[in-house]
Amino acid sequence: MDIEGISGAATIALASSLVFFLIARSWQLISRSIGNGSNFSGSTMREAAQRFRDEFDRLNSNQSTYLGAGVVFVLLFVAAYVLQARALFIGYPVWQLHILLGALLTGTMLAFCRLLSTALACHRIRLRRDANIAVGHQLQRLADGMGRSYHDVETDAGIIDHLIVGHNGAYAVSVFALPARKNGQVSLQGHALLFAPGGKTRSLVAANARIASLEREFRRLLDHRVRVRSVVAVPGWDITAQGNEEHLLVNERNLPMLSGWRDQADYLLHEDVDALHDLLTARGSKQK
């Protein structure tokens, strides 16, 4: 084995790839800082899955940088080996070259693991993004007769995926995105979702906490209780039981059932609706 040639080529390739990576990352950070914010932030609302869109773009950009650095490494390694980069380490003890080669290999494996983890995170975020977009587009159709729809609504307990507010009441939609399976079914078991086949469960405790936080905020604003109904959307899965008194379980296809889930006790006065719209519009505007 030509350890001098391999060590020399790997050193040149790894150093050049690192320089390429640092330049690319610096450019990404500069671009984000310059392009951060909307030109019309006061009039632009958050779109469905806005936070997942932004996160997917960030991860996809990082993934491209890692792949670019990997291509640079391979090309320069081959070129340096062919051009006799072994001259850099002629005369060095073999044990030192083995240590150097081990360090270079470790660095390469760490970079590969980073690329793999970024690719997996990108895949997960893409699923959540697509699920929220599908639900958000259906809600836009329903909102014409039910009020206004808002997306990525911030509360003290976290972010509510979607919210509809109108004279018939307020509806918070929590989206759970799992890879769809053939004949996959989901049902409500208390405050948890049960997926079959497979037996996976997802708790609704966090979603309930976000809704409770929003209700408290509405109460402080209007000085009376406003019930926010909980809608649980699971795109791509068949629903075996639509819901109960506390939750309505739907997918992206039967989401219109939401329009029939109402109670006269939850109806809101015109002035209450206007006050809630003002609050949510100010909060949902894209800030610079």
Side-chain angles (χ1 to χ4, degrees), residues 54-158:
D54 296 341
E55 180 66 8
F56 179 80
D57 291 341
R58 185 188 69 82
L59 289 172
N60 196 43
S61 179
N62 291 346
Q63 181 178 250
S64 299
T65 301
Y66 288 125
L67 286 173
V71 171
V72 169
F73 176 85
V74 172
L75 293 177
L76 290 181
F77 178 85
V78 173
Y81 188 82
V82 171
L83 295 175
Q84 300 297 315
R86 66 190 308 275
L88 292 174
F89 294 101
I90 290 179
Y92 279 74
V94 175
W95 66 270
Q96 290 183 2
L97 296 180
H98 278 100
I99 293 176
L100 174 63
L101 194 58
L104 294 174
L105 182 61
T106 301
T108 302
M109 291 302 297
L110 289 175
F112 177 78
C113 291
R114 185 66 176 176
L115 171 61
L116 183 60
S117 64
T118 302
L120 292 175
C122 195
H123 175 74
R124 290 191 295 268
I125 289 294
R126 180 170 55 190
L127 175 63
R128 300 182 70 180
R129 179 203 64 183
D130 293 346
N132 275 271
I133 289 176
V135 172
H137 286 177
Q138 292 295 325
L139 288 176
Q140 288 177 356
R141 301 177 184 178
L142 294 176
D144 292 338
M146 296 186 62
R148 298 182 190 174
S149 60
Y150 302 90
H151 311 286
D152 290 352
V153 179
E154 297 179 357
T155 72
D156 292 338

Side-chain angles (χ1 to χ4, degrees), residues 153-204:
V153 179
E154 297 179 357
T155 72
D156 292 338
I159 296 177
I160 294 176
D161 296 317
H162 310 279
L163 182 69
I164 289 184
V165 175
H167 296 292
N168 293 335
Y171 299 82
V173 183
S174 304
V175 180
F176 288 79
L178 276 77
R181 302 181 63 175
K182 186 177 181 180
N183 300 323
Q185 297 180 334
V186 59
S187 61
L188 269 172
Q189 301 290 334
H191 292 287
L193 296 174
L194 177 62
F195 294 85
K200 290 184 178 180
T201 60
R202 291 293 185 272
S203 174
L204 300 180

